[in-house]
Amino acid sequence: MQSTIFVITLVLMAVVGWLFWRAVSAVNGKPAGTNINKRRTQLIWGMVIAGVLISVGSMREWPYAGASEKPVVVNVVGGQWWWEIDKESLPLHTEIEFRVTSEDVNHGMGIFNEDLQLLAQVQGMPGYVNKLYYTFDKPGTYQVLCLEFCGVAHHDMINEFEVVAAE
């Protein structure tokens, strides 16, 4: 996606450069007169209008394409030494909004895939709700582990949920 945007930007920069060259050469190539000023004004207004139309047209879907759907909300509460997750099954390819808090001390909530690779993390703090947005692209069992040492049973602070394809 980034390389496509880069190429489009280079092409549009070349077009704008060519239009400016045309506007300047219209003045330098002929004696000054009303036709040249009128032509230059038309070129400049044409570039301004084209720039606005291209900007509005290309940015409409970015960067939040598909964000019109509301995310699935999952409430997560941490405590010494447990995680409480209000949903056991989450849909695949759907934005999930994790609302994370803590009942006692700070906890670092990390979401890990089946290979124990960290996918996302957020801090759970008492008296405050942090939000983490994530979209799962593979079905499976995901684990929630604590990333901040919170006491002697910190290593037992594990919970899990399933990500399944929508039926």
Side-chain angles (χ1 to χ4, degrees), residues 17-68:
W18 178 79
L19 289 173
F20 272 115
W21 176 77
R22 293 284 292 162
V24 170
S25 67
V27 172
N28 293 335
K30 297 181 181 176
T34 57
N35 285 343
I36 294 171
N37 287 335
K38 184 177 179 182
R39 186 171 175 205
R40 181 178 56 207
T41 302
Q42 289 172 344
L43 280 172
I44 291 173
W45 276 110
M47 288 187 296
V48 169
I49 291 169
V52 168
L53 291 175
I54 290 169
S55 295
V56 169
S58 65
M59 296 302 282
R60 183 179 4 203
E61 298 296 324
W62 297 344
Y64 304 108
S68 60

Side-chain angles (χ1 to χ4, degrees), residues 69-143:
E69 298 178 15
K70 292 192 176 193
V72 173
V73 175
V74 177
N75 295 303
V76 181
V77 180
Q80 291 179 312
W81 292 277
W82 48 268
W83 289 110
E84 182 180 301
I85 304 171
D86 70 348
K87 291 184 175 52
E88 294 178 7
S89 179
L90 301 176
L92 185 65
H93 300 301
T94 303
E95 185 177 38
I96 310 295
E97 177 185 323
F98 292 94
R99 295 180 182 173
V100 182
T101 189
S102 170
E103 286 193 353
D104 43 34
V105 298
N106 284 359
H107 296 284
M109 184 190 94
I111 300 174
F112 292 82
N113 65 12
E114 292 174 338
D115 297 327
L116 289 179
Q117 293 175 326
L118 179 64
L119 302 177
Q121 63 183 355
V122 67
Q123 191 73 21
M125 301 181 295
Y128 189 79
V129 176
N130 280 318
K131 295 179 181 177
L132 169 67
Y133 295 89
Y134 193 79
T135 302
F136 294 94
D137 58 357
K138 293 181 183 175
T141 302
Y142 292 83
Q143 287 190 341

